[in-house]
Amino acid sequence: DLQNTDLFAVMTKGHLQALVSDGVPETKIRVLGVPDPYGGTLEIYRQCRDAIQASLTALASELNGCGADE
């Protein structure tokens, strides 16, 4: 349910635009800046996985009020 979700974490600005076009306010969307690996090699998918994990860890720290230098 798009309207009842507090925060969407998406990989790209294209993903953001897809949610906005479905009525999700842009303020509820965080772009992780991770390139979509579609069509890439297994190694590219692994790099994408690692980038997503790192971005989500940083986002979770931010949401919990823990800065990177704390």
Side-chain angles (χ1 to χ4, degrees):
D1 185 12
L2 297 177
Q3 299 308 316
N4 292 325
T5 301
D6 293 327
L7 180 67
F8 295 86
V10 298
M11 291 170 45
T12 69
K13 288 183 181 182
H15 297 145
L16 175 142
Q17 291 303 322
L19 287 174
V20 168
S21 70
D22 283 338
V24 176
E26 197 167 331
T27 56
K28 287 185 157 190
I29 306 169
R30 297 297 276 283
V31 178
L32 301 178
V34 177
D36 192 335
Y38 180 75
T41 64
L42 179 59
E43 182 56 30
I44 289 172
Y45 274 86
R46 287 180 174 151
Q47 291 171 4
C48 180
R49 173 204 61 204
D50 295 343
I52 290 170
Q53 182 177 13
S55 295
L56 290 176
T57 298
L59 178 59
S61 291
E62 178 186 330
L63 293 174
N64 286 321
C66 302
D69 55 357
E70 292 181 26

